[in-house]
Structure formats: C-alpha cells, structure tokens
C-alpha cells in the first residue's frame, strides 16, 4: 500500500467522491482510475479525504471491494500506534454513550498480555474490562466491537438473546466477528514447505 500522495498513478480516467461505507469515519472517499496502473491498488489520506488509486479496467464490484479493503488497511495502519489504557477507557465511555445510552459504566478498561485464547474479558462484579494485546493494530471497528461486546456484559452477563440484541445496535458487528474468525482461521493454517517465518 502506498502512502505517498505524490506517487505516479497516471492520469485518472475517472474520479469520484463517495460517502464512506456504513460505519466508517472518513468524510469522503475519492476513487481515481488510471490506465497506467495495471494490478496495484493503493490508498492514502489527504486531509479528511481518502484517495484510493485503482486500475482503470476494474469493475464497479471490484472497486467497491478494493475500497473497503484499502479503508480497512489504512485504519489498521493508523491504529497500530498503541493507544494507552486511558485512551481505551475513554473509547469505552464513548461507545457506551453511543450504543448503550451510557448505561455500561466500566470501573476499569485496560490492555493485558495474558489473554491468548480470547479477545477480551469482563468481570461484571468488579466492572473491569480487559482486552488482549493481540487486538492492537487491528482495524478500529474490530477493537470497538470487542469493547462493545465486553461493555454489553456489564448489562447482560451471559450470551443469551438479550445480550445479542444489545450488540445489534453496532452496525459492524457481523463484519468484526468475521474479521476475528478469519484471524483465528489463518493462525491455524499449516505453514507451506519452504515458507519463511516472519
């Protein structure tokens, strides 16, 4: 992914500004098509706009898919800067206000390094929420989903219908769950013979 707004992409054949897909925070997305660009797709931020550069031959469906992929990559890249526990707690307060009318009030929210089999945990009696450090660097909507999941446990302890009804308010629940399932599945894939470990 190129983050250089000055890289040579050729003369755009078409440029359009679109509202972001549901749940995304960028104010505008501009897609630039180039006849010189053959296979690569890149994206970068320019103020409050996101510029996505694609080959001219791409179909509308491919364009939509690649815009979503590149927005996720940019969000993950921007999220790689590790936010501290204070920022995480503030994020939880904001999400509770937005999706649960502020009813979920955690006493503490923090990153932990001892959760390798789950993404987060909640102790409702103490009001404490812990998120796995493995979430750091994942797209913001994924971290928000895990935070909301744990916040919902402050209101409904189990995973019954009332719990899942609370999470229906978050528009990217299914997408975040799919992302996390993909991460788990990828970790289970066998290494190819001769593949180098990174």
């Amino acid at each position: 992914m190129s983050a250089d707004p000055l890289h040579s992409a050729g003369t755009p054949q078409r440029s359009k500004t679109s509202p972001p897909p549901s749940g995304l925070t960028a104010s505008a997305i501009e897609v630039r098509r180039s006849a010189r660009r053959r296979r690569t797709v890149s994206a970068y931020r320019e103020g409050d706009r996101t510029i996505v550069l694609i080959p001219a031959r791409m179909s509308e469906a491919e364009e939509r898919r690649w815009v979503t992929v590149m927005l996720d990559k940019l969000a993950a890249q921007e999220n790689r800067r590790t936010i501290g526990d204070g920022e995480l707690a503030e994020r939880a307060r904001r999400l509770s206000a937005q999706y649960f009318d502020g009813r979920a009030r955690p006493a503490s929210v923090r990153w932990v390094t001892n959760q390798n089999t789950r993404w987060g945990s909640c102790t409702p009696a103490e009001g404490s929420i812990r998120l796995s450090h493995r979430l750091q660097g994942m797209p913001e909507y994924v971290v928000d989903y895990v935070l909301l999941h744990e916040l919902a446990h402050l209101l409904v302890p189990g995973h019954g219908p009332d719990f899942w009804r609370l999470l229906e308010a978050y528009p990217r629940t299914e997408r975040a769950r799919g992302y996390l399932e993909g991460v788990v599945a990828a970790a289970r894939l066998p290494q190819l013979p001769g593949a180098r470990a990174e």
Side-chain angles (χ1 to χ4, degrees):
M1 171 175 51
S2 173
D4 178 10
L6 301 176
H7 74 282
S8 172
T11 305
Q13 286 189 339
R14 181 176 62 118
S15 179
K16 70 178 184 179
T17 301
S18 311
S22 175
L24 299 176
T25 58
S27 64
I29 300 163
E30 182 178 333
V31 176
R32 295 181 184 167
R33 290 177 173 262
S34 168
R36 291 179 55 197
R37 186 174 283 270
R38 297 283 178 225
R39 293 186 306 245
T40 61
V41 176
S42 61
Y44 60 91
R45 303 274 194 221
E46 190 174 84
D48 64 349
R49 298 167 63 80
T50 301
I51 311 299
V52 181
L53 307 165
I54 64 173
R57 63 172 175 67
M58 262 191 194
S59 70
E60 291 292 320
E62 288 174 310
E63 176 185 319
R64 283 190 301 275
R65 184 177 74 81
W66 276 106
V67 165
T68 301
V69 166
M70 297 312 286
L71 288 173
D72 285 349
K73 284 186 177 185
L74 281 173
Q77 187 179 57
E78 292 162 354
N79 202 35
R80 280 193 187 105
R81 98 177 158 78
T82 304
I83 63 170
D85 291 347
E87 290 173 280
L88 195 61
E90 179 54 38
R91 198 164 171 175
R93 278 189 285 282
R94 178 180 49 80
L95 290 168
S96 176
Q98 184 175 357
Y99 294 101
F100 303 145
D101 298 321
R103 293 179 297 133
R105 295 186 189 102
S108 68
V109 181
R110 62 190 174 95
W111 296 107
V112 294
T113 57
N114 63 350
Q115 288 190 6
N116 294 315
T117 58
R118 37 172 129 174
W119 299 111
S121 62
C122 175
T123 307
E126 297 172 4
S128 63
I129 292 175
R130 294 157 306 280
L131 295 190
S132 172
H133 72 288
R134 296 177 303 139
L135 288 165
Q136 293 172 338
M138 289 189 186
E140 187 173 303
Y141 74 90
V142 175
V143 177
D144 286 352
Y145 164 73
V146 176
L147 266 174
L148 280 166
H149 184 104
E150 301 310 330
L151 286 165
H153 280 306
L154 293 175
L155 303 173
V156 179
H159 288 104
D162 291 340
F163 174 85
W164 292 112
R165 262 192 294 281
L166 282 174
L167 287 179
E168 286 175 2
Y170 185 56
R172 301 188 85 185
T173 291
E174 287 306 312
R175 186 164 184 201
R177 286 173 56 94
Y179 185 99
L180 293 171
E181 288 169 4
V183 169
V184 170
R188 292 183 182 144
L189 291 174
Q191 289 290 329
L192 295 174
R196 294 184 310 156
E198 295 186 75

